[in-house]
Amino acid sequence: MSIASGHHGFSDVAVVAAGAVSGAAGAYAYYSEPLQPLAHSFTLWIVLIVAVVPGMPRRRAVVRAVCALLAAVLAFYPGKAFMYGVKYAGMPYSVDLSTLVLWCGLAVAGGVVAGLLLSAVGRPDRRGTLATAAVVGLLLGDLVRRSDRFGVGTLAVATALALAFVAWRGIRSSRQAAQVALAVVPMGLLGLVIVSAPDFFEGMTL
């Protein structure tokens, strides 16, 4: 892996660091009552991918997406154990290895798919429009997935901010914005299925 990249000024080290920061933020949110919904959603990690992947060749986008998501997972679970120790001093807590391995596998699989599909975010053509609409669908699907448990307060605010970021990164004209809006419903349904899949696989291991 090279140290520097000409795409958007991000170095590969910065991509891994961004992944680790997002995982650590999720771990902190897990034990913070107002932020806890973020720890159970994919919003942080979707934003992470949109920050580091668009505009790159597919192969490089895949490598970056996988590295960023792996760093997020490897920071989240140990970070969650650390935060547990801080909040409940003296209480034993350890990282479940099977869960960590499962989520590392899901991070690799998700990174491959995200790198292949979302590198087109920001392009003014049909591929870029569909990629941007797919991200919007993932965010909305994730909001629906978790709103039944946590309500829509914190998640709605986080999703609104994430959608604004995606629009800034991915939409290049009012026409493209209208095309993305037309694809919101089907992409939202597809996004709901995709973001629900990890919970299904994790449930199978319990």
Side-chain angles (χ1 to χ4, degrees), residues 17-204:
V21 168
S22 72
Y28 175 82
Y30 194 89
Y31 292 107
S32 170
E33 185 173 348
L35 298 178
Q36 192 178 51
L38 291 178
H40 295 274
S41 75
F42 295 117
T43 304
L44 290 174
W45 294 358
I46 294 170
V47 169
L48 170 68
I49 294 300
V50 175
V52 304
V53 162
M56 292 179 293
R58 285 183 173 180
R59 182 177 298 179
R60 189 163 179 78
V62 166
V63 171
R64 283 200 161 194
V66 169
C67 289
L69 290 178
L70 276 175
V73 170
L74 292 173
F76 176 75
Y77 282 99
K80 193 170 73 164
F82 173 79
M83 291 304 302
Y84 183 90
V86 171
K87 187 165 185 176
Y88 305 105
M91 298 293 291
Y93 186 92
S94 61
V95 177
D96 181 73
L97 184 59
S98 63
T99 299
L100 181 62
V101 170
L102 171 65
W103 279 94
C104 282
L106 291 171
V108 172
V112 170
V113 174
L116 290 173
L117 298 181
L118 302 188
S119 61
V121 170
R123 290 173 49 159
D125 56 14
R126 180 176 296 180
R127 185 181 159 206
T129 299
L130 289 175
T132 302
V135 178
V136 172
L138 287 172
L139 287 168
L140 294 178
D142 196 40
L143 175 63
V144 172
R145 177 182 71 106
R146 286 306 185 188
S147 61
D148 61 338
R149 178 177 175 183
F150 296 104
V152 295
T154 300
L155 283 178
V157 172
T159 301
L161 293 174
L163 288 172
F165 178 69
V166 171
W168 174 69
R169 288 286 272 164
I171 295 177
R172 295 292 172 262
S173 67
S174 57
R175 179 181 179 184
Q176 189 176 34
Q179 291 171 337
V180 169
L182 287 174
V184 162
V185 173
M187 287 299 182
L189 294 173
L190 179 60
L192 178 59
V193 173
I194 293 172
V195 297
S196 299
D199 290 336
F200 172 77
F201 288 117
E202 186 175 26
M204 292 177 63

